[in-house]
Amino acid sequence: MTPSTDLLTALILTLLVGTAVAVVRMRGLFPALMLMGIFSLLGASWMLVLDAPDVAFTEAAVGAGVSTILGLTALALTARRAKTSSRKPWPALVIVTITGAALVYGMSDAPGVGDPAAPASKYPVPSYVERTDHDIHIPNVVTAVLASYRGFDTLGETVVIFTAGIAVLALIGGVAVSVRNTGPAGGRAGDGQGGDQPDELARGVEPAA
Amino acid sequence: MSEFLGLYPYWVVIFLMMTGFYIVISRGNLIKKVIGLNIFQSSVFLLYISIGKVSGATAPITAEGFEVYGNPLPSVLILTAIVVGVATTSVALALVVRIREAYNTIEEDEIKDEIRTQGAGP
């Protein structure tokens, strides 16, 4: 790595740690979700530094974009704030420290970041890079592996998304209908009685307020 | 010791992973738990992508004048994992919305209390 990318890496990693710690301390769910968007964007920036532009694009679009929208939808249907939990933090901290120490021990003899002699970069990567242009006739090796060499994996991924869509519909298809039914009714009541009637939909959205 | 410090991106990623894990086991709010799972998941993505980095290489898009390319396989794995991750997150959030419908709360402690006082849920 050149000194400038080293500096950039250190900056992005510092910001990632700061964001994650802020999410832990946050009680409001809305700010926590917004910080998650920032977390994903920082992650995507680091992926770009690590020469993985395809993943960086996907993470920025899906991680920072679609996930945030899904989270906001869930917030609108549930609650805005988390209540202060009565449980003690120590058992969780002990478990997390032990798990983290085990992970550090497991990673401690890994090859360094960017080591060209690392086993992960030796086999079978060079053959993919050499053959893509001849076999698939496109320059992007990631796309070639994703859509052609490992095309069945991508088909399986599509099946997973389809299944998830069916599961979501089966779980909350009825909820969406009930929210739609209370919404206009509450709005009409508010209009008819000069606005002193509390809006049903607003009460449903913000039970804490 | 310098070898240990040279691997610092891995240690930061493991710290991020443990932050997500801590949120999952220490917070009672179900949406907060999903956020924790998301942090854990993103850290795993970052770990894989950092393993695929090759010093002095360029992105794995073949072009004239470049000899050394980064490792494309972690990118492919993580592209799939990101999309599957969003699918599972949406199912988790749908479950949370459904739980709110049934118990009128998304705090784990309150749900447990309700189950204890009323037997099985509605």
Side-chain angles (χ1 to χ4, degrees), chain A residues 33 37 41-43 49 64 89 91 108 122 124-125 127 130 139 150 159 161 166 180 197 207:
Chain A
L33 262 181
L41 192 64
L42 287 168
V49 176
S108 56
K122 282 293 169 200
V125 175
S127 59
E130 281 157 22
R150 296 261 129 229
V159 173
I161 298 165
I166 293 176
R180 213 178 300 138
Q197 192 83 2

Side-chain angles (χ1 to χ4, degrees), chain B residues 23-40:
Chain B
I23 295 178
V24 173
I25 57 180
S26 76
R27 296 290 180 257
N29 186 287
L30 295 178
I31 289 195
K32 203 67 190 281
K33 278 180 192 284
V34 176
I35 291 177
L37 271 180
N38 259 327
I39 291 187
F40 194 103

Side-chain angles (χ1 to χ4, degrees), chain B:
Chain B
M1 192 61 203
S2 72
E3 263 180 43
F4 189 83
L5 287 179
L7 295 174
Y8 78 96
Y10 294 151
W11 311 144
V12 174
V13 167
I14 287 174
F15 177 83
L16 294 175
M17 243 182 245
M18 289 305 107
T19 315
F21 187 34
Y22 177 75
I23 295 178
V24 173
I25 57 180
S26 76
R27 296 290 180 257
N29 186 287
L30 295 178
I31 289 195
K32 203 67 190 281
K33 278 180 192 284
V34 176
I35 291 177
L37 271 180
N38 259 327
I39 291 187
F40 194 103
Q41 188 173 282
S42 301
S43 324
V44 175
F45 300 163
L46 291 175
L47 181 70
Y48 268 67
I49 297 296
S50 63
I51 288 173
K53 167 80 179 170
V54 177
S55 291
T58 179
I61 300 170
T62 53
E64 298 271 331
F66 292 101
E67 290 293 318
V68 191
Y69 298 104
N71 193 341
L73 293 187
S75 300
V76 175
L77 282 176
I78 296 311
L79 273 178
T80 308
I82 288 176
V83 177
V84 170
V86 169
T88 50
T89 302
S90 64
V91 175
L93 289 173
L95 273 172
V96 173
V97 170
R98 189 68 193 83
I99 287 170
R100 159 114 195 332
E101 276 292 293
Y103 293 98
N104 211 23
T105 175
I106 54 167
E107 301 289 336
E108 204 181 37
D109 301 342
E110 294 174 11
I111 295 169
K112 274 186 194 151
D113 285 346
E114 191 147 338
I115 292 174
R116 207 171 298 131
T117 50
Q118 300 191 354

Side-chain angles (χ1 to χ4, degrees), chain A residues 103-132:
Chain A
L103 284 174
V104 168
Y105 175 70
M107 282 299 280
S108 56
D109 57 350
V113 177
D115 186 357
S121 311
K122 282 293 169 200
Y123 179 84
V125 175
S127 59
Y128 278 123
V129 175
E130 281 157 22
R131 287 168 51 190
T132 291

Side-chain angles (χ1 to χ4, degrees), chain A residues 186-199:
Chain A
R188 265 201 304 278
D191 289 344
Q193 299 176 14
D196 53 348
Q197 192 83 2
D199 191 283

